[in-house]
Amino acid sequence: MDYTAGLEAALNRLHEEGRYRTFIDIERRNGQFPSAVWCRPDGQEQDITVWCGNDYLGMGQHPVVLQAMHDAIDSAGAGSGGTRNISGTTVYHKELEAELADLHQKEAALVFTSAYIANDATLSTLPKLFPGLIIYSDELNHASMIEGVRRNGGAKRIFRHNDVAHLRELLAADDPAAPKLIAFESVYSMDGDFGPIKEICDLADQFNALTYIDEVHAVGMYGPRGAGVAERDGLMHRIDIINGTLAKAYGVMGGYIAASEKMCDAVRSYAPGFIFTTSLAPAVAAGAAASVRHLKTDATLRDQHQLQAKILKMRLKGMGLPIIDHGSHIVPVIVGDPVHTKKLSDMLLERFGIYVQPINFPTVPRGTERLRFTPSPVHGPKEIDHLVKAMDELWSHCALNRAELSA
């Protein structure tokens, strides 16, 4: 077996399909978000504007967050020193979990090193806690949820995206006495559409199922205190397990679940992905806690974030660009071809200093390749004008289709 040849063949397939991904080396500048410096392959530096970041509200540069992290480093040093069970639980981790439990109005919260691990570890552990558990999973759930459901060894049912009628059919077909859990998202990040939370909760009540919602792209940004879409819609009390991230709107890193005290205790006690992982650095936990606490009372960034997203969508629609608009903060522009998508991304970066990554299969279905823009409160009128003009010029240059504009 020529292993090197096997690797080359696998990589060549990606190149041939136009799906090979490259890293862009950037240096973010504190106090100047969304501006950054691109370290080009030729060694030169170029000023750019980041349009695909997940630091949705710019909290990664907020003074409250930075001060909390500085204080924690001065007090506790760099690393946590171990897993949560073995010397890695500090006052900063407990403070963060208390803030998250309060945010979601749950009895407890459990912090993981990422939301991916939180999803994977929790969903793969639940069948150990509820033998015979059947998990009903939306077909467009995040890869971390899919992996957790796949690895758990229990029964699973995949329902068509946001199709409540199909979910009902699947629930009705199974043993009424079997334990059940419905796993779905509040905001699906590729199209920016919302999950039907109330309708799913109604079905969960009818069929005695637990509810598990991923609010990764919503925490910090929706609801009076930033607890997500479930809070915005007054449905948080109907969700059994809430998954969220600290690496997007909160600007730091890490993930978590919020649930009943017994649920968090059981996951803590049985999930290998929690038990055998070194805990977050104290400074990271402190910064995340400060960010969560701040955004509970400051809605200014949330409001401005939504406004900037609406403005960008309106401007792009006005040029006839094929954007998907489900009312969320995510702005996908459909290109429909992996090669063209990569070419547009490269030209935006090299010619205009605009950084947006191409989104290709398998992240999205073939034929729906896209550029996905994530406007934020720190993207001002100047940045939006520059982006819109660049997109208009390159769309014409590449002879891509535009939507019919009404008179």
Side-chain angles (χ1 to χ4, degrees), residues 91-101 111 246 280 285 288-289 292:
V91 292
Y92 303 102
H93 297 88
K94 301 302 291 184
E95 176 190 12
L96 174 55
E97 288 174 340
E99 288 288 352
L100 293 168
V111 170
L246 304 165
L280 289 176
V292 172

Side-chain angles (χ1 to χ4, degrees), residues 308-341:
Q308 297 301 77
K310 288 178 182 177
I311 290 172
L312 179 60
K313 286 186 282 191
M314 179 184 67
R315 296 283 302 275
L316 294 175
K317 283 181 183 177
M319 297 191 304
L321 298 194
I323 80 166
I324 299 175
D325 184 6
H326 289 289
S328 74
H329 60 282
I330 294 168
V331 186
V333 180
I334 301 298
V335 181
D337 176 87
V339 176
H340 287 160
T341 307

Side-chain angles (χ1 to χ4, degrees), residues 16 23 54 71 86 107 129 171 182 224 258 289 307 311 337 348 381:
E16 290 166 2
F23 290 143
N54 283 336
D71 290 346
I86 306 176
E107 293 177 345
L129 308 176
L171 286 162
I182 305 170
L307 177 61
I311 290 172
D337 176 87
L348 282 168

Side-chain angles (χ1 to χ4, degrees), residues 169-191:
E169 291 176 13
L170 295 174
L171 286 162
D174 283 319
D175 181 357
K180 301 174 178 67
L181 179 139
I182 305 170
F184 63 107
E185 299 186 35
S186 63
V187 179
Y188 290 84
S189 63
M190 288 301 112
D191 286 352

Side-chain angles (χ1 to χ4, degrees), residues 2-23:
D2 187 340
Y3 295 103
T4 300
L7 296 174
E8 289 177 350
L11 293 171
N12 284 337
R13 286 196 297 271
L14 295 179
H15 282 289
E16 290 166 2
E17 295 174 14
R19 296 194 295 117
Y20 182 77
R21 304 182 187 193
T22 57
F23 290 143

Side-chain angles (χ1 to χ4, degrees), residues 108-168:
L110 193 64
V111 170
F112 295 76
T113 50
S114 74
Y116 187 108
I117 298 299
N119 270 333
D120 185 6
T122 303
L123 288 169
S124 62
T125 297
L126 289 173
K128 301 175 187 175
L129 308 176
F130 307 105
L133 178 70
I134 304 171
I135 296 183
Y136 303 80
S137 179
D138 188 290
E139 67 177 342
L140 293 189
N141 277 343
H142 189 265
S144 58
M145 301 174 76
I146 294 171
E147 187 64 19
V149 172
R150 179 184 296 149
R151 289 199 311 107
N152 67 32
K156 63 178 182 292
R157 312 280 186 261
I158 310 301
F159 61 93
R160 291 186 291 270
H161 179 53
N162 281 349
D163 191 333
V164 178
H166 187 218
L167 174 58
R168 174 186 289 276

